[in-house]
Amino acid sequence: MEKNTHELQDTIEELAAKNADLEKQKEVLEAKVKWLEEQFRLSQQKKFGTSSEKTNPDQIELSLFNEAEITADVKVEEPTLETITYNRKKYVGQRDAKLENLPTETIHYRLSEEEQVCLCCGETVHEMSTETRRELRIIPAQVKVVEHIQHIYSCRKCEREGIETPIVTAKMPAAVFPKSLASPSSMAYIMNQKYVEGMPLYRIEKQFERLGVFLSRQTIANWVIYGSMKWLSPLYNRLHELLLQLDRLHADETTVQVLAEPGKAANSKSYMWLYRSGRDITPIVLYDYQTSRHSKHPKAFLKGFSGYLHVDGYAGYHDLKNVELVGCLAHARRKFDETLKSLPANVDKSTTLAAEGLQYCNQLFKIEKQIDEEIKNCSPEQRKEERQKRSQPVLDAFLAWLKSKRPQVPPKSKLGEAINYSLNQWPKLITFMKDGRLEIDNNRAERSIKPFVMGRKSWLFSQSMRGATASAIIYSIVETAKENRLNPMSYLNYLFEQLPQIDLDDQEALDQFLPWSKTIPKECRIPDKVK
């Protein structure tokens, strides 16, 4: 009997231990299923839903925020009826103002002399008034052959009587690509089509065919690589020198596929790094193609730079010397936004912890917007002072909330990832409070890298490392031009016309072709938009 009792006790303990193990396995599997469901809903939202991260103001209202106290500013005057009333009527002449920068062709429609007779009495009629109709005429691309004939002169008398005959040759502009059909305009057009309009080379080839010009893709690619390496790379290098002299930069990176890289499979990933200037500085946007995402690449590119660098959470920037990293609150906010989007449709999102975290981020961005709207031409000192008064209380509350919720949330869930990201990045996320010139996010870099990402969807990959390097140079020139309000095609055409005529080692001469130079012709500039 005693033996049976011991056996029964052992069996109960074994079953209890087995049950405990099964419960643990069940918890692990439930967490995994929950994670997979979150990932599935998020992938569906990314595939079929809107990509906007804007928060619906009616969607989330949290009682934990005393918004009136946080955002109140006694300095702001109460608006009068006049300041909040506006007129929707269009201004007279607004359409004409939009067309004033375009060339105008005028066509007159008059009666012939035989028709200038009064239908009533037969007398000659006179012009009483006119009616004008305006329309836009689009002139499609045209291709024509330009022959450059260089005339050579000699002296008849010397030919007959002299020992030597001097030869005088008329000056002719140097070719942008000797012994080829390439011209400044054709090279600029091809680069504009690919790197601004996002058109792959095979479509450019077919487009030329429809215009009656038969250029192979290889020829077009050769023009692109030669033009970038020969003429644009000195300008790129000069922009790089000027970029390193600044004390506030933004950086980001994205993937690019290069088919013919030594020692790598054709489907392997390479990277296009982006570096650009910050707010209130002459815009410079530079791309740098590299074979990997290793930290040695930003170290090499930013050698000699010291100051603030706006980045996301990638650890590859952490070992930069003489550089203080500025985190991106937009990335932190995105984590909470993705958490909300991954929740089931039947969940009240306004009551979730993800909504609370998102609201903290929204409040910080709202304060930044209010500062810029309320204080026109806000100085860095004013912005820093206002941030200390308005943003610091929100940051303190946000940090306390993150620390309190971290133990309550599974770390591998979407919400756990969002909370851990914010806490791990916190020292960098609050760096923007140190200097009024710094920004709350790294969206400036993300906007600048987006044209490359959009273009990549069309042309998919680069054939060679030289092609990828050429792409980095051309993207740098056209994006810097766009940031400086230049028409990329007109600017490229101007560069290819003028750069072959100068000494590229002459820095003073080269600086005349920088996008912000006052010597850039008016024809290259984009007119200001009519408000």
Side-chain angles (χ1 to χ4, degrees), residues 233-455:
S233 61
L235 204 61
Y236 174 92
N237 294 334
R238 179 59 179 149
L239 289 170
H240 187 191
E241 292 176 7
L242 296 172
L243 187 76
L244 297 181
Q245 295 174 12
L246 304 176
D247 63 350
R248 285 170 291 128
L249 299 181
H250 294 252
D252 201 0
E253 73 287 334
T254 189
T255 57
V256 60
Q257 185 179 356
V258 182
L259 300 184
E261 283 183 324
K264 293 180 68 175
N267 60 351
S268 61
K269 289 182 180 179
S270 297
Y271 281 83
M272 192 68 79
W273 298 74
L274 175 127
Y275 308 89
R276 64 152 301 150
S277 55
R279 173 167 49 191
D280 301 328
I281 304 177
T282 301
I284 299 176
V285 182
L286 296 184
Y287 291 79
D288 181 41
Y289 155 70
Q290 296 295 343
T291 56
S292 71
R293 206 186 183 194
H294 198 280
S295 62
K296 65 182 180 182
H297 300 309
K299 284 182 182 177
F301 193 90
L302 295 175
K303 185 178 180 181
F305 167 74
S306 62
Y308 293 104
L309 181 66
H310 292 76
V311 294
D312 54 23
Y314 176 50
Y317 300 104
H318 291 179
D319 296 331
L320 295 172
K321 294 182 180 180
N322 303 318
V323 173
E324 184 167 4
L325 301 181
V326 186
C328 178
L329 265 162
H331 276 76
R333 182 191 182 282
R334 189 171 301 152
K335 302 289 184 183
F336 291 104
D337 182 70
E338 289 178 351
T339 303
L340 279 178
K341 291 175 179 176
S342 69
L343 295 175
N346 59 351
V347 172
D348 183 4
K349 297 181 179 180
S350 63
T351 62
T352 61
L353 292 178
E356 293 183 22
L358 181 63
Q359 192 69 1
Y360 278 111
C361 298
N362 286 344
Q363 196 64 27
L364 291 166
F365 280 97
K366 185 176 182 180
I367 291 171
E368 289 293 304
K369 185 177 180 181
Q370 287 175 340
I371 292 173
D372 288 332
E373 288 178 349
E374 294 170 11
I375 307 175
K376 301 301 180 183
N377 302 318
C378 182
S379 68
E381 292 75 18
Q382 287 176 308
R383 185 178 285 110
K384 181 180 178 180
E385 183 180 346
E386 291 298 319
R387 283 173 174 172
Q388 292 296 330
K389 289 192 295 185
R390 306 189 198 188
S391 301
Q392 192 61 54
V394 181
L395 287 169
D396 293 340
F398 188 23
L399 180 59
W401 181 87
L402 290 169
K403 289 180 177 179
S404 66
K405 302 305 178 187
R406 188 178 201 172
Q408 305 174 18
V409 179
K412 291 188 177 180
S413 65
K414 291 300 294 182
L415 180 57
E417 291 177 6
I419 292 174
N420 287 329
Y421 179 89
S422 295
L423 284 173
N424 294 337
Q425 294 291 314
W426 191 257
K428 303 178 187 66
L429 292 178
I430 61 174
T431 303
F432 78 100
M433 297 290 290
K434 294 182 179 181
D435 193 323
R437 301 174 303 165
L438 301 178
E439 298 178 56
I440 195 172
D441 55 44
N442 195 31
N443 287 348
R444 192 175 295 271
E446 290 197 357
R447 287 193 298 269
S448 293
I449 208 169
K450 190 174 182 180
F452 174 83
V453 175
M454 298 299 291

Side-chain angles (χ1 to χ4, degrees), residues 14-273:
E14 288 176 4
L15 290 174
K18 189 173 183 180
N19 183 65
D21 289 339
L22 290 174
E23 285 294 328
K24 288 182 180 178
Q25 293 179 27
K26 177 174 173 284
E27 289 179 6
V28 171
L29 291 174
E30 285 178 346
K32 185 175 289 187
V33 168
K34 185 178 179 181
W35 182 85
L36 290 172
E37 287 177 344
E38 287 179 340
Q39 296 298 318
F40 173 74
R41 286 191 291 268
L42 185 58
S43 67
Q44 291 294 95
Q45 196 282 330
K46 287 182 177 179
K47 189 173 183 180
F48 302 110
T50 175
S51 60
S52 174
E53 296 178 6
K54 290 184 178 180
T55 303
N56 187 339
D58 299 325
Q59 177 185 352
I60 301 173
E61 280 295 334
L62 300 177
S63 59
L64 65 95
F65 277 102
N66 191 340
E67 187 173 339
E69 290 184 7
I70 293 175
T71 61
D73 187 355
V74 296
K75 297 179 181 177
V76 180
E77 297 180 1
E78 287 295 320
T80 64
L81 182 62
E82 292 179 355
T83 61
I84 60 176
T85 304
Y86 56 92
N87 192 348
R88 292 185 181 273
K89 186 178 179 181
K90 290 185 178 180
Y91 294 105
V92 177
Q94 188 177 11
R95 178 184 293 181
D96 292 342
K98 291 179 179 179
L99 304 178
E100 65 181 4
N101 294 297
L102 299 176
T104 302
E105 176 186 353
T106 303
I107 303 176
H108 291 274
Y109 300 91
R110 293 187 171 92
L111 294 174
S112 64
E113 291 186 4
E114 292 79 10
E115 294 172 317
Q116 294 181 22
V117 177
C118 179
L119 298 176
C120 182
C121 66
E123 290 294 317
T124 303
V125 296
H126 71 280
E127 186 175 303
M128 181 181 68
S129 63
T130 60
E131 289 185 1
T132 302
R133 182 185 83 225
R134 282 188 153 191
E135 58 189 23
L136 293 174
R137 174 179 293 178
I138 304 298
I139 304 174
Q142 297 178 348
V143 181
K144 65 179 179 181
V145 177
V146 178
E147 292 185 343
H148 295 267
I149 301 176
Q150 188 175 30
H151 291 264
I152 303 170
Y153 300 85
S154 67
C155 176
R156 293 288 190 189
K157 183 177 181 181
C158 291
E159 287 177 348
R160 293 192 304 267
E161 303 174 3
I163 299 175
E164 294 181 356
T165 303
I167 304 296
V168 181
T169 305
K171 290 183 179 181
M172 182 172 67
V176 68
F177 194 165
K179 299 181 181 179
S180 83
L181 291 173
S183 68
S185 60
S186 61
M187 198 173 280
Y189 178 80
I190 290 169
M191 290 184 181
N192 184 78
Q193 291 298 96
K194 179 173 182 180
Y195 297 102
V196 179
E197 306 300 339
M199 187 179 293
L201 292 185
Y202 80 90
R203 287 173 58 191
I204 299 175
E205 178 186 24
K206 295 300 180 183
Q207 187 181 53
F208 275 127
E209 283 185 12
R210 290 189 288 272
L211 294 171
V213 181
F214 298 92
L215 295 173
S216 68
R217 252 171 287 175
Q218 290 74 19
T219 298
I220 296 173
N222 288 341
W223 290 9
V224 169
I225 292 176
Y226 182 89
S228 62
M229 297 296 191
K230 177 67 176 179
W231 305 119
L232 300 184
S233 61
L235 204 61
Y236 174 92
N237 294 334
R238 179 59 179 149
L239 289 170
H240 187 191
E241 292 176 7
L242 296 172
L243 187 76
L244 297 181
Q245 295 174 12
L246 304 176
D247 63 350
R248 285 170 291 128
L249 299 181
H250 294 252
D252 201 0
E253 73 287 334
T254 189
T255 57
V256 60
Q257 185 179 356
V258 182
L259 300 184
E261 283 183 324
K264 293 180 68 175
N267 60 351
S268 61
K269 289 182 180 179
S270 297
Y271 281 83
M272 192 68 79
W273 298 74

